[in-house]
Amino acid sequence: MALAGNSLISLEELTKEDILYLLAQAAKFEEEPNRRVLEGKVVATLFFEPSTRTRLSFETAANRLGARVIGFSDAATTSSSKGESLKDTIMMVSNYADVIVMRHYLEGAARYASEVSPVPIINAGDGANQHPSQTMLDLYSMQKTQGTLDGLNITLVGDLKYGRTVHSMLTAMRHFKSKFRFIAPRELEMPCEYKEYCRKYGIEFSESRDFDRNVINSSDIIYMTRVQRERFTDLMEYERVKDTYILRNDMLAEAKPNLKIMHPLPRVNEIALDVDDNPAAYYFKQAKNGLFVREALICNSLNIQI
C-alpha cells in the first residue's frame, strides 16, 4: 500500500516499514523501468538551484513512467527573478501539474511549499538541510550491495556541516543498527544538532580528523562528500579545507572485499580518478539507482503502486 501523506519532505517522517516499502518498489522498477503507469499525468520540476543528476533522473523517471514533464532548471528565467514569491510560484505551477519536484537554496523551502501546495511536493534538496530522494537511493545502494542496512560500518568523509545528504542519511538510519564514523576537518564537522539526534535515537557514532588505512580497512561503506564552495561565505576558509581528504586507489589495497565507495556527486578531487576502476567504486552505479528510486517516489506521491 502506498504511504499516506504523499509529499516527501524529510525521511524523519517515514517509518522503517515505509522505507522498506519504497526500497521494494524501487527494486521492481529496476527489474522493469518502463512502466507507463502515469499516462496523462504531469510532473513539474522546479530547480531554483543548479542540479544535474537529481533533475535529470527525476525527469527520466517521469518520462519512463509515461508522464509529461514541465518546469525549469534556472530560476533566473522565471518570474521569481521579478520578485514573485515562492507561494505564488507553487500555487501557479500546481494548476498545471499533479506533483511538484522542487530544489531550493533556502532551508525549509520544501516544507513551506508542502504547506501551501494543493499537490504533493517532493523535496529534491533544500539548502544544507535535507535531500531525502538522494538518501533513498543511498539506502537502496547499500541494501543492494551489502544485503542489509543493519550492522554496517559506515564512514562519512568530508563536508558533514553543509552536506544535506549525510544529514538525511542519519534521519533514515535511526531505524537500522549500523555504526557511523564522522571524518571531517573542524570547520566542517557534523553539526551538534545531528550528533544530538544520533544520541537521542541510539545511533552509534565516533568522530575523527584522520582518514587513515585503519578507518578504510574496517569500513563497509565509505561515503565521500564534496566540500561545497557555494556554501562558504569565506573563500579563504574554503581554500583551507577543500583538499583535506582525497581517496586514492593505493589506499584501498587492504580494504574489505565488500567495501563500496559512494558519493552523491558531483565530485571535484576528493576521489582520485584512479579509484574509478577499483571494484569498490560504486558512485556511478549509485547514481543509476537514483532512477529506480525516483520512479518509486513519484508513484508513491500519486498513490500508485506496482
Side-chain angles (χ1 to χ4, degrees):
M1 177 178 293
L3 313 181
N6 297 333
S7 288
L8 178 64
I9 307 305
S10 169
L11 295 185
E12 192 169 9
E13 299 160 357
L14 302 188
T15 65
K16 182 177 183 178
E17 291 69 29
D18 293 336
I19 290 172
L20 293 176
Y21 163 79
L22 289 169
L23 296 180
Q25 289 286 290
K28 293 181 181 179
F29 282 115
E30 182 169 10
E31 292 173 1
E32 177 46 66
N34 299 309
R35 299 175 185 260
R36 313 291 288 185
V37 295
L38 295 187
E39 294 282 359
K41 300 292 186 182
V42 176
V43 176
T45 55
L46 310 186
F47 280 73
F48 294 86
E49 188 177 53
S51 170
T52 302
R53 277 149 299 279
T54 302
R55 181 176 62 85
L56 291 180
S57 63
F58 265 117
E59 292 182 354
T60 302
N63 279 301
R64 288 188 180 275
L65 293 168
R68 301 293 295 272
V69 178
I70 63 171
F72 56 82
S73 59
D74 183 359
T77 65
T78 74
S79 292
S80 64
S81 66
K82 303 175 185 177
E84 182 176 60
S85 69
L86 177 60
K87 177 181 179 180
D88 286 4
T89 299
I90 294 298
M91 295 301 292
M92 182 273 296
V93 174
S94 68
N95 289 324
Y96 313 138
D98 298 285
V99 57
I100 295 173
V101 178
M102 188 181 86
R103 169 170 288 187
H104 203 282
Y105 50 86
L106 291 178
E107 296 183 21
R111 175 77 60 197
Y112 174 74
S114 72
E115 291 170 353
V116 300
S117 175
V119 302
I121 300 289
I122 298 177
N123 181 8
D126 60 328
N129 185 31
Q130 297 280 324
H131 196 347
S133 72
Q134 176 68 46
T135 294
M136 287 302 301
L137 76 90
D138 293 342
L139 298 187
Y140 185 68
S141 298
M142 288 190 285
Q143 184 188 63
K144 183 177 173 182
T145 61
Q146 306 298 318
T148 183
L149 292 173
D150 288 300
L152 302 178
N153 290 310
I154 302 171
T155 301
L156 308 179
V157 184
D159 182 358
L160 308 187
K161 179 178 181 180
Y162 300 111
R164 58 193 170 197
T165 62
V166 296
H167 301 163
S168 282
M169 185 184 294
L170 291 177
T171 65
M173 289 299 286
R174 74 189 188 279
H175 298 301
F176 305 96
K177 300 299 182 183
S178 288
K179 300 177 183 178
F180 284 87
R181 272 181 298 218
F182 303 153
I183 310 293
R186 179 184 56 79
E187 296 90 340
L188 296 175
E189 67 182 20
M190 186 67 73
C192 290
E193 58 265 33
Y194 286 100
K195 288 185 278 190
E196 280 302 314
Y197 186 90
C198 289
R199 295 184 186 103
K200 178 179 178 181
Y201 287 99
I203 300 172
E204 188 173 339
F205 73 92
S206 61
E207 293 185 276
S208 177
R209 306 272 183 259
D210 300 322
F211 185 43
D212 56 26
R213 291 182 185 272
N214 289 333
V215 169
I216 292 169
N217 295 345
S218 58
S219 297
D220 299 305
I221 299 290
I222 295 177
Y223 195 95
M224 301 295 294
T225 64
R226 173 177 65 95
V227 176
Q228 303 172 77
R229 181 175 180 175
E230 64 271 24
R231 306 293 180 204
F232 284 78
T233 55
D234 182 350
L235 289 184
M236 292 293 289
E237 183 181 19
Y238 167 75
E239 291 294 332
R240 279 198 307 274
V241 300
K242 67 176 183 177
D243 293 328
T244 304
Y245 306 113
I246 300 175
L247 181 62
R248 298 181 176 85
N249 192 52
D250 61 7
M251 299 166 67
L252 300 170
E254 299 176 14
K256 297 171 69 172
N258 64 303
L259 171 69
K260 288 295 178 278
I261 301 160
M262 297 171 58
H263 192 306
L265 301 177
R267 69 171 163 183
V268 181
N269 58 353
E270 59 277 355
I271 300 178
L273 294 178
D274 65 1
V275 175
D276 292 357
D277 294 327
N278 192 296
Y282 196 74
Y283 26 92
F284 295 124
K285 293 177 183 176
Q286 174 189 356
K288 183 177 181 180
N289 289 338
L291 169 63
F292 317 128
V293 167
R294 287 169 175 136
E295 285 185 290
L297 296 180
I298 292 172
C299 283
N300 179 72
S301 72
L302 297 171
N303 292 318
I304 294 170
Q305 59 180 325
I306 59 171

